[in-house]
Amino acid sequence: MIYLQIFWAFFISGILGYGGGPASIPLIEKEVVDRYEWLSLHEFSEVLALGNALPGPIATKMAGYIGFEQAGILGAVVGVFAAVAPSLLLMIGLLGLLTKHKGSSKVKRLTVVVRPVIAVLLGVMAYDFFFSSYESIGILQMLVIGVISYLLMNKWKVHPAYVIAAALLYGGIFLS
């Protein structure tokens, strides 16, 4: 029964919390504090602070933590799944719809329009990261990390996950 309660608490928040974490936090609070009384308001605020301090979506971190506190590892798994299930189901449904109509001229035009927008958004993000890196660690460190990363991934075919881990290690040791 507890697994079903965990599922519904976070599934409802995921469905109704349009806009992500900030929109779903009051819904999670209503379920967790008021309805099921798993946490006090003070405990909930501490979980929220912890969720905000860690990287990634707030709702999934809270679902994992609260699910674990209530029902162990399986409770955490159920909570996280319930938090992402609405988006997952919607994406699968839309993907099915898109696949069904992939030959449509309207879908092809949509793809033609969306690709440049995605390219511009990625370019803006790269530009922002470049200047953020320049301001925080300086041009020399930024160029060293960039050139070594480029060589590792393109010349020596090292997996990007290892390059990211190495860059994090480098930053943790030499730049902190």
Side-chain angles (χ1 to χ4, degrees):
M1 185 67 177
I2 187 69
Y3 299 113
L4 190 58
Q5 290 175 336
I6 292 170
F7 179 84
W8 280 117
F10 292 103
F11 186 79
I12 289 170
S13 303
I15 279 200
L16 299 177
Y18 179 75
S24 64
I25 290 169
L27 299 168
I28 294 171
E29 177 192 356
K30 182 74 173 164
E31 296 293 315
V32 170
V33 175
D34 297 337
R35 183 172 181 195
Y36 294 112
E37 298 177 349
W38 292 328
L39 300 174
S40 68
L41 188 57
H42 178 72
E43 291 168 330
F44 181 82
S45 67
E46 289 178 349
V47 171
L48 178 60
L50 180 65
N52 274 323
L54 299 171
I58 298 167
T60 53
K61 292 178 284 192
M62 292 179 74
Y65 179 82
I66 294 167
F68 181 79
E69 286 294 312
Q70 295 306 306
I73 293 175
L74 186 56
V77 170
V78 169
V80 171
F81 176 73
V84 300
S87 299
L88 179 68
L89 294 173
L90 186 61
M91 288 181 66
I92 290 171
L94 290 176
L95 181 62
L97 185 65
L98 188 61
T99 304
K100 181 180 175 184
H101 297 289
K102 69 181 176 184
S104 165
S105 62
K106 291 179 182 178
V107 172
K108 288 180 181 179
R109 281 191 303 242
L110 176 72
T111 305
V112 168
V113 171
V114 168
R115 281 186 186 158
V117 172
I118 293 172
V120 168
L121 290 172
L122 288 172
V124 169
M125 183 180 68
Y127 179 82
D128 290 342
F129 283 164
F130 176 82
F131 281 101
S132 173
S133 298
Y134 172 74
E135 291 172 355
S136 64
I137 63 172
I139 190 76
L140 180 63
Q141 296 290 343
M142 184 188 68
L143 289 175
V144 166
I145 292 171
V147 168
I148 291 173
S149 297
Y150 177 80
L151 291 173
L152 285 170
M153 288 188 295
N154 291 323
K155 186 172 183 182
W156 297 304
K157 305 299 181 201
V158 175
H159 193 279
Y162 295 126
V163 176
I164 292 169
L168 286 170
L169 187 63
Y170 176 83
I173 293 172
F174 298 108
L175 300 176
S176 40

PDB file of all heavy atoms in Angstrom, residues 8-39:
ATOM      1  N   TRP A   8       1.294   7.608  -6.232  1.00  0.00           N
ATOM      2  CA  TRP A   8       0.253   8.605  -6.492  1.00  0.00           C
ATOM      3  C   TRP A   8       0.668   9.998  -6.022  1.00  0.00           C
ATOM      4  O   TRP A   8       0.349  10.990  -6.677  1.00  0.00           O
ATOM      5  CB  TRP A   8      -1.078   8.196  -5.868  1.00  0.00           C
ATOM      6  CG  TRP A   8      -1.783   7.187  -6.711  1.00  0.00           C
ATOM      7  CD1 TRP A   8      -2.086   5.913  -6.360  1.00  0.00           C
ATOM      8  CD2 TRP A   8      -2.229   7.350  -8.060  1.00  0.00           C
ATOM      9  NE1 TRP A   8      -2.692   5.263  -7.414  1.00  0.00           N
ATOM     10  CE2 TRP A   8      -2.803   6.127  -8.470  1.00  0.00           C
ATOM     11  CE3 TRP A   8      -2.209   8.389  -8.967  1.00  0.00           C
ATOM     12  CZ2 TRP A   8      -3.338   5.923  -9.730  1.00  0.00           C
ATOM     13  CZ3 TRP A   8      -2.748   8.186 -10.232  1.00  0.00           C
ATOM     14  CH2 TRP A   8      -3.299   6.979 -10.598  1.00  0.00           C
ATOM     15  N   ALA A   9       1.370  10.079  -4.900  1.00  0.00           N
ATOM     16  CA  ALA A   9       1.791  11.391  -4.400  1.00  0.00           C
ATOM     17  C   ALA A   9       2.663  12.118  -5.424  1.00  0.00           C
ATOM     18  O   ALA A   9       2.475  13.305  -5.680  1.00  0.00           O
ATOM     19  CB  ALA A   9       2.544  11.230  -3.081  1.00  0.00           C
ATOM     20  N   PHE A  10       3.589  11.403  -6.032  1.00  0.00           N
ATOM     21  CA  PHE A  10       4.508  12.052  -6.964  1.00  0.00           C
ATOM     22  C   PHE A  10       3.998  12.051  -8.404  1.00  0.00           C
ATOM     23  O   PHE A  10       4.339  12.937  -9.176  1.00  0.00           O
ATOM     24  CB  PHE A  10       5.901  11.426  -6.846  1.00  0.00           C
ATOM     25  CG  PHE A  10       6.526  11.746  -5.522  1.00  0.00           C
ATOM     26  CD1 PHE A  10       6.571  10.794  -4.522  1.00  0.00           C
ATOM     27  CD2 PHE A  10       7.014  13.008  -5.255  1.00  0.00           C
ATOM     28  CE1 PHE A  10       7.117  11.087  -3.282  1.00  0.00           C
ATOM     29  CE2 PHE A  10       7.556  13.324  -4.023  1.00  0.00           C
ATOM     30  CZ  PHE A  10       7.605  12.359  -3.035  1.00  0.00           C
ATOM     31  N   PHE A  11       3.161  11.087  -8.762  1.00  0.00           N
ATOM     32  CA  PHE A  11       2.572  11.072 -10.099  1.00  0.00           C
ATOM     33  C   PHE A  11       1.615  12.253 -10.262  1.00  0.00           C
ATOM     34  O   PHE A  11       1.650  12.951 -11.273  1.00  0.00           O
ATOM     35  CB  PHE A  11       1.833   9.749 -10.341  1.00  0.00           C
ATOM     36  CG  PHE A  11       1.319   9.592 -11.739  1.00  0.00           C
ATOM     37  CD1 PHE A  11       2.168   9.217 -12.769  1.00  0.00           C
ATOM     38  CD2 PHE A  11      -0.014   9.821 -12.036  1.00  0.00           C
ATOM     39  CE1 PHE A  11       1.698   9.063 -14.066  1.00  0.00           C
ATOM     40  CE2 PHE A  11      -0.498   9.670 -13.326  1.00  0.00           C
ATOM     41  CZ  PHE A  11       0.369   9.295 -14.341  1.00  0.00           C
ATOM     42  N   ILE A  12       0.778  12.484  -9.265  1.00  0.00           N
ATOM     43  CA  ILE A  12      -0.160  13.614  -9.311  1.00  0.00           C
ATOM     44  C   ILE A  12       0.602  14.932  -9.396  1.00  0.00           C
ATOM     45  O   ILE A  12       0.260  15.817 -10.179  1.00  0.00           O
ATOM     46  CB  ILE A  12      -1.106  13.583  -8.095  1.00  0.00           C
ATOM     47  CG1 ILE A  12      -2.085  12.421  -8.244  1.00  0.00           C
ATOM     48  CG2 ILE A  12      -1.854  14.905  -7.939  1.00  0.00           C
ATOM     49  CD1 ILE A  12      -2.905  12.137  -7.002  1.00  0.00           C
ATOM     50  N   SER A  13       1.666  15.049  -8.615  1.00  0.00           N
ATOM     51  CA  SER A  13       2.483  16.265  -8.661  1.00  0.00           C
ATOM     52  C   SER A  13       3.114  16.436 -10.038  1.00  0.00           C
ATOM     53  O   SER A  13       3.213  17.549 -10.548  1.00  0.00           O
ATOM     54  CB  SER A  13       3.589  16.195  -7.608  1.00  0.00           C
ATOM     55  OG  SER A  13       3.039  16.010  -6.332  1.00  0.00           O
ATOM     56  N   GLY A  14       3.541  15.338 -10.638  1.00  0.00           N
ATOM     57  CA  GLY A  14       4.154  15.401 -11.961  1.00  0.00           C
ATOM     58  C   GLY A  14       3.177  15.782 -13.050  1.00  0.00           C
ATOM     59  O   GLY A  14       3.511  16.503 -13.979  1.00  0.00           O
ATOM     60  N   ILE A  15       1.945  15.294 -12.937  1.00  0.00           N
ATOM     61  CA  ILE A  15       0.934  15.615 -13.955  1.00  0.00           C
ATOM     62  C   ILE A  15       0.461  17.061 -13.823  1.00  0.00           C
ATOM     63  O   ILE A  15       0.323  17.770 -14.810  1.00  0.00           O
ATOM     64  CB  ILE A  15      -0.266  14.656 -13.835  1.00  0.00           C
ATOM     65  CG1 ILE A  15       0.081  13.361 -14.513  1.00  0.00           C
ATOM     66  CG2 ILE A  15      -1.516  15.251 -14.410  1.00  0.00           C
ATOM     67  CD1 ILE A  15      -1.070  12.497 -14.897  1.00  0.00           C
ATOM     68  N   LEU A  16       0.223  17.499 -12.613  1.00  0.00           N
ATOM     69  CA  LEU A  16      -0.346  18.833 -12.405  1.00  0.00           C
ATOM     70  C   LEU A  16       0.704  19.930 -12.314  1.00  0.00           C
ATOM     71  O   LEU A  16       0.382  21.103 -12.461  1.00  0.00           O
ATOM     72  CB  LEU A  16      -1.208  18.843 -11.140  1.00  0.00           C
ATOM     73  CG  LEU A  16      -2.403  17.886 -11.154  1.00  0.00           C
ATOM     74  CD1 LEU A  16      -3.122  17.930  -9.819  1.00  0.00           C
ATOM     75  CD2 LEU A  16      -3.343  18.213 -12.290  1.00  0.00           C
ATOM     76  N   GLY A  17       1.943  19.567 -12.057  1.00  0.00           N
ATOM     77  CA  GLY A  17       3.002  20.560 -11.863  1.00  0.00           C
ATOM     78  C   GLY A  17       3.613  21.013 -13.166  1.00  0.00           C
ATOM     79  O   GLY A  17       4.797  20.788 -13.418  1.00  0.00           O
ATOM     80  N   TYR A  18       2.817  21.661 -13.997  1.00  0.00           N
ATOM     81  CA  TYR A  18       3.304  22.145 -15.293  1.00  0.00           C
ATOM     82  C   TYR A  18       4.377  23.198 -15.058  1.00  0.00           C
ATOM     83  O   TYR A  18       4.186  24.141 -14.309  1.00  0.00           O
ATOM     84  CB  TYR A  18       2.157  22.745 -16.106  1.00  0.00           C
ATOM     85  CG  TYR A  18       2.598  23.288 -17.427  1.00  0.00           C
ATOM     86  CD1 TYR A  18       2.895  22.441 -18.476  1.00  0.00           C
ATOM     87  CD2 TYR A  18       2.759  24.657 -17.616  1.00  0.00           C
ATOM     88  CE1 TYR A  18       3.316  22.930 -19.698  1.00  0.00           C
ATOM     89  CE2 TYR A  18       3.180  25.156 -18.829  1.00  0.00           C
ATOM     90  CZ  TYR A  18       3.457  24.293 -19.864  1.00  0.00           C
ATOM     91  OH  TYR A  18       3.884  24.787 -21.060  1.00  0.00           O
ATOM     92  N   GLY A  19       5.512  23.022 -15.691  1.00  0.00           N
ATOM     93  CA  GLY A  19       6.588  23.991 -15.563  1.00  0.00           C
ATOM     94  C   GLY A  19       7.758  23.466 -14.760  1.00  0.00           C
ATOM     95  O   GLY A  19       8.746  24.151 -14.568  1.00  0.00           O
ATOM     96  N   GLY A  20       7.678  22.254 -14.268  1.00  0.00           N
ATOM     97  CA  GLY A  20       8.818  21.662 -13.577  1.00  0.00           C
ATOM     98  C   GLY A  20       8.786  21.847 -12.079  1.00  0.00           C
ATOM     99  O   GLY A  20       7.730  22.027 -11.471  1.00  0.00           O
ATOM    100  N   GLY A  21       9.985  21.824 -11.479  1.00  0.00           N
ATOM    101  CA  GLY A  21      10.164  21.829 -10.037  1.00  0.00           C
ATOM    102  C   GLY A  21       9.432  22.916  -9.275  1.00  0.00           C
ATOM    103  O   GLY A  21       8.656  22.615  -8.358  1.00  0.00           O
ATOM    104  N   PRO A  22       9.632  24.182  -9.625  1.00  0.00           N
ATOM    105  CA  PRO A  22       8.975  25.241  -8.853  1.00  0.00           C
ATOM    106  C   PRO A  22       7.455  25.123  -8.831  1.00  0.00           C
ATOM    107  O   PRO A  22       6.814  25.432  -7.839  1.00  0.00           O
ATOM    108  CB  PRO A  22       9.416  26.521  -9.565  1.00  0.00           C
ATOM    109  CG  PRO A  22      10.706  26.170 -10.204  1.00  0.00           C
ATOM    110  CD  PRO A  22      10.578  24.727 -10.606  1.00  0.00           C
ATOM    111  N   ALA A  23       6.871  24.644  -9.926  1.00  0.00           N
ATOM    112  CA  ALA A  23       5.417  24.508  -9.980  1.00  0.00           C
ATOM    113  C   ALA A  23       4.928  23.283  -9.225  1.00  0.00           C
ATOM    114  O   ALA A  23       3.800  23.266  -8.724  1.00  0.00           O
ATOM    115  CB  ALA A  23       4.949  24.427 -11.438  1.00  0.00           C
ATOM    116  N   SER A  24       5.771  22.271  -9.122  1.00  0.00           N
ATOM    117  CA  SER A  24       5.321  21.033  -8.472  1.00  0.00           C
ATOM    118  C   SER A  24       5.610  20.996  -6.978  1.00  0.00           C
ATOM    119  O   SER A  24       5.041  20.168  -6.271  1.00  0.00           O
ATOM    120  CB  SER A  24       5.954  19.819  -9.161  1.00  0.00           C
ATOM    121  OG  SER A  24       7.347  19.835  -9.015  1.00  0.00           O
ATOM    122  N   ILE A  25       6.451  21.869  -6.468  1.00  0.00           N
ATOM    123  CA  ILE A  25       6.802  21.852  -5.044  1.00  0.00           C
ATOM    124  C   ILE A  25       5.579  22.028  -4.150  1.00  0.00           C
ATOM    125  O   ILE A  25       5.409  21.263  -3.193  1.00  0.00           O
ATOM    126  CB  ILE A  25       7.905  22.889  -4.734  1.00  0.00           C
ATOM    127  CG1 ILE A  25       9.216  22.415  -5.358  1.00  0.00           C
ATOM    128  CG2 ILE A  25       8.072  23.078  -3.233  1.00  0.00           C
ATOM    129  CD1 ILE A  25      10.312  23.437  -5.351  1.00  0.00           C
ATOM    130  N   PRO A  26       4.703  22.989  -4.404  1.00  0.00           N
ATOM    131  CA  PRO A  26       3.511  23.090  -3.546  1.00  0.00           C
ATOM    132  C   PRO A  26       2.623  21.850  -3.619  1.00  0.00           C
ATOM    133  O   PRO A  26       2.010  21.470  -2.614  1.00  0.00           O
ATOM    134  CB  PRO A  26       2.764  24.313  -4.089  1.00  0.00           C
ATOM    135  CG  PRO A  26       3.758  25.077  -4.873  1.00  0.00           C
ATOM    136  CD  PRO A  26       4.759  24.090  -5.363  1.00  0.00           C
ATOM    137  N   LEU A  27       2.573  21.214  -4.788  1.00  0.00           N
ATOM    138  CA  LEU A  27       1.777  19.996  -4.928  1.00  0.00           C
ATOM    139  C   LEU A  27       2.398  18.846  -4.136  1.00  0.00           C
ATOM    140  O   LEU A  27       1.688  18.071  -3.489  1.00  0.00           O
ATOM    141  CB  LEU A  27       1.648  19.623  -6.402  1.00  0.00           C
ATOM    142  CG  LEU A  27       0.951  20.662  -7.278  1.00  0.00           C
ATOM    143  CD1 LEU A  27       1.135  20.337  -8.745  1.00  0.00           C
ATOM    144  CD2 LEU A  27      -0.518  20.750  -6.921  1.00  0.00           C
ATOM    145  N   ILE A  28       3.706  18.739  -4.189  1.00  0.00           N
ATOM    146  CA  ILE A  28       4.397  17.710  -3.406  1.00  0.00           C
ATOM    147  C   ILE A  28       4.188  17.966  -1.923  1.00  0.00           C
ATOM    148  O   ILE A  28       3.918  17.038  -1.153  1.00  0.00           O
ATOM    149  CB  ILE A  28       5.899  17.666  -3.757  1.00  0.00           C
ATOM    150  CG1 ILE A  28       6.097  17.213  -5.202  1.00  0.00           C
ATOM    151  CG2 ILE A  28       6.653  16.747  -2.805  1.00  0.00           C
ATOM    152  CD1 ILE A  28       7.529  17.342  -5.700  1.00  0.00           C
ATOM    153  N   GLU A  29       4.294  19.230  -1.522  1.00  0.00           N
ATOM    154  CA  GLU A  29       4.072  19.564  -0.109  1.00  0.00           C
ATOM    155  C   GLU A  29       2.668  19.155   0.334  1.00  0.00           C
ATOM    156  O   GLU A  29       2.492  18.580   1.408  1.00  0.00           O
ATOM    157  CB  GLU A  29       4.263  21.061   0.121  1.00  0.00           C
ATOM    158  CG  GLU A  29       3.983  21.468   1.548  1.00  0.00           C
ATOM    159  CD  GLU A  29       3.891  22.961   1.741  1.00  0.00           C
ATOM    160  OE1 GLU A  29       4.115  23.717   0.775  1.00  0.00           O
ATOM    161  OE2 GLU A  29       3.565  23.371   2.866  1.00  0.00           O
ATOM    162  N   LYS A  30       1.675  19.435  -0.476  1.00  0.00           N
ATOM    163  CA  LYS A  30       0.291  19.083  -0.134  1.00  0.00           C
ATOM    164  C   LYS A  30       0.150  17.580   0.090  1.00  0.00           C
ATOM    165  O   LYS A  30      -0.490  17.145   1.051  1.00  0.00           O
ATOM    166  CB  LYS A  30      -0.645  19.560  -1.265  1.00  0.00           C
ATOM    167  CG  LYS A  30      -2.091  19.294  -1.006  1.00  0.00           C
ATOM    168  CD  LYS A  30      -2.631  20.251   0.023  1.00  0.00           C
ATOM    169  CE  LYS A  30      -4.131  20.084   0.159  1.00  0.00           C
ATOM    170  NZ  LYS A  30      -4.629  20.688   1.359  1.00  0.00           N
ATOM    171  N   GLU A  31       0.760  16.793  -0.783  1.00  0.00           N
ATOM    172  CA  GLU A  31       0.666  15.338  -0.670  1.00  0.00           C
ATOM    173  C   GLU A  31       1.474  14.812   0.518  1.00  0.00           C
ATOM    174  O   GLU A  31       0.977  14.015   1.309  1.00  0.00           O
ATOM    175  CB  GLU A  31       1.161  14.673  -1.967  1.00  0.00           C
ATOM    176  CG  GLU A  31       0.328  14.976  -3.181  1.00  0.00           C
ATOM    177  CD  GLU A  31      -1.056  14.373  -3.118  1.00  0.00           C
ATOM    178  OE1 GLU A  31      -1.188  13.198  -2.736  1.00  0.00           O
ATOM    179  OE2 GLU A  31      -2.023  15.086  -3.449  1.00  0.00           O
ATOM    180  N   VAL A  32       2.705  15.254   0.630  1.00  0.00           N
ATOM    181  CA  VAL A  32       3.640  14.692   1.607  1.00  0.00           C
ATOM    182  C   VAL A  32       3.371  15.172   3.022  1.00  0.00           C
ATOM    183  O   VAL A  32       3.444  14.385   3.976  1.00  0.00           O
ATOM    184  CB  VAL A  32       5.096  15.025   1.177  1.00  0.00           C
ATOM    185  CG1 VAL A  32       6.095  14.684   2.248  1.00  0.00           C
ATOM    186  CG2 VAL A  32       5.434  14.311  -0.112  1.00  0.00           C
ATOM    187  N   VAL A  33       3.040  16.454   3.174  1.00  0.00           N
ATOM    188  CA  VAL A  33       2.834  17.021   4.513  1.00  0.00           C
ATOM    189  C   VAL A  33       1.376  16.901   4.946  1.00  0.00           C
ATOM    190  O   VAL A  33       1.089  16.403   6.032  1.00  0.00           O
ATOM    191  CB  VAL A  33       3.302  18.502   4.554  1.00  0.00           C
ATOM    192  CG1 VAL A  33       2.991  19.136   5.897  1.00  0.00           C
ATOM    193  CG2 VAL A  33       4.795  18.593   4.257  1.00  0.00           C
ATOM    194  N   ASP A  34       0.466  17.343   4.119  1.00  0.00           N
ATOM    195  CA  ASP A  34      -0.941  17.407   4.522  1.00  0.00           C
ATOM    196  C   ASP A  34      -1.677  16.076   4.361  1.00  0.00           C
ATOM    197  O   ASP A  34      -2.342  15.623   5.286  1.00  0.00           O
ATOM    198  CB  ASP A  34      -1.679  18.484   3.713  1.00  0.00           C
ATOM    199  CG  ASP A  34      -1.120  19.873   3.980  1.00  0.00           C
ATOM    200  OD1 ASP A  34      -0.503  20.068   5.047  1.00  0.00           O
ATOM    201  OD2 ASP A  34      -1.291  20.756   3.120  1.00  0.00           O
ATOM    202  N   ARG A  35      -1.553  15.463   3.193  1.00  0.00           N
ATOM    203  CA  ARG A  35      -2.359  14.271   2.931  1.00  0.00           C
ATOM    204  C   ARG A  35      -1.821  13.023   3.637  1.00  0.00           C
ATOM    205  O   ARG A  35      -2.543  12.355   4.355  1.00  0.00           O
ATOM    206  CB  ARG A  35      -2.441  14.029   1.430  1.00  0.00           C
ATOM    207  CG  ARG A  35      -3.318  12.857   1.074  1.00  0.00           C
ATOM    208  CD  ARG A  35      -3.532  12.775  -0.407  1.00  0.00           C
ATOM    209  NE  ARG A  35      -4.400  11.657  -0.730  1.00  0.00           N
ATOM    210  CZ  ARG A  35      -4.547  11.171  -1.924  1.00  0.00           C
ATOM    211  NH1 ARG A  35      -3.908  11.724  -2.933  1.00  0.00           N
ATOM    212  NH2 ARG A  35      -5.337  10.154  -2.142  1.00  0.00           N
ATOM    213  N   TYR A  36      -0.557  12.691   3.397  1.00  0.00           N
ATOM    214  CA  TYR A  36      -0.007  11.453   3.948  1.00  0.00           C
ATOM    215  C   TYR A  36       0.727  11.646   5.282  1.00  0.00           C
ATOM    216  O   TYR A  36       1.024  10.674   5.964  1.00  0.00           O
ATOM    217  CB  TYR A  36       0.923  10.783   2.932  1.00  0.00           C
ATOM    218  CG  TYR A  36       0.194  10.299   1.706  1.00  0.00           C
ATOM    219  CD1 TYR A  36       0.393  10.893   0.470  1.00  0.00           C
ATOM    220  CD2 TYR A  36      -0.723   9.258   1.785  1.00  0.00           C
ATOM    221  CE1 TYR A  36      -0.280  10.456  -0.660  1.00  0.00           C
ATOM    222  CE2 TYR A  36      -1.413   8.807   0.670  1.00  0.00           C
ATOM    223  CZ  TYR A  36      -1.181   9.413  -0.546  1.00  0.00           C
ATOM    224  OH  TYR A  36      -1.861   8.974  -1.671  1.00  0.00           O
ATOM    225  N   GLU A  37       1.069  12.881   5.604  1.00  0.00           N
ATOM    226  CA  GLU A  37       1.764  13.232   6.853  1.00  0.00           C
ATOM    227  C   GLU A  37       3.065  12.462   7.036  1.00  0.00           C
ATOM    228  O   GLU A  37       3.399  12.003   8.115  1.00  0.00           O
ATOM    229  CB  GLU A  37       0.830  13.037   8.051  1.00  0.00           C
ATOM    230  CG  GLU A  37      -0.394  13.930   7.997  1.00  0.00           C
ATOM    231  CD  GLU A  37      -1.360  13.698   9.148  1.00  0.00           C
ATOM    232  OE1 GLU A  37      -1.208  12.713   9.904  1.00  0.00           O
ATOM    233  OE2 GLU A  37      -2.273  14.522   9.292  1.00  0.00           O
ATOM    234  N   TRP A  38       3.818  12.322   5.946  1.00  0.00           N
ATOM    235  CA  TRP A  38       5.105  11.653   6.017  1.00  0.00           C
ATOM    236  C   TRP A  38       6.159  12.559   6.625  1.00  0.00           C
ATOM    237  O   TRP A  38       7.103  12.086   7.253  1.00  0.00           O
ATOM    238  CB  TRP A  38       5.565  11.207   4.636  1.00  0.00           C
ATOM    239  CG  TRP A  38       4.746  10.103   4.038  1.00  0.00           C
ATOM    240  CD1 TRP A  38       4.105   9.099   4.704  1.00  0.00           C
ATOM    241  CD2 TRP A  38       4.483   9.891   2.662  1.00  0.00           C
ATOM    242  NE1 TRP A  38       3.460   8.267   3.826  1.00  0.00           N
ATOM    243  CE2 TRP A  38       3.681   8.737   2.546  1.00  0.00           C
ATOM    244  CE3 TRP A  38       4.845  10.548   1.497  1.00  0.00           C
ATOM    245  CZ2 TRP A  38       3.250   8.227   1.342  1.00  0.00           C
ATOM    246  CZ3 TRP A  38       4.407  10.043   0.296  1.00  0.00           C
ATOM    247  CH2 TRP A  38       3.623   8.899   0.217  1.00  0.00           C
ATOM    248  N   LEU A  39       6.024  13.867   6.400  1.00  0.00           N
ATOM    249  CA  LEU A  39       6.974  14.841   6.906  1.00  0.00           C
ATOM    250  C   LEU A  39       6.233  15.999   7.547  1.00  0.00           C
ATOM    251  O   LEU A  39       5.101  16.307   7.155  1.00  0.00           O
ATOM    252  CB  LEU A  39       7.844  15.405   5.768  1.00  0.00           C
ATOM    253  CG  LEU A  39       8.707  14.450   4.947  1.00  0.00           C
ATOM    254  CD1 LEU A  39       9.363  15.197   3.800  1.00  0.00           C
ATOM    255  CD2 LEU A  39       9.752  13.777   5.806  1.00  0.00           C
TER     256      LEU A  39
END
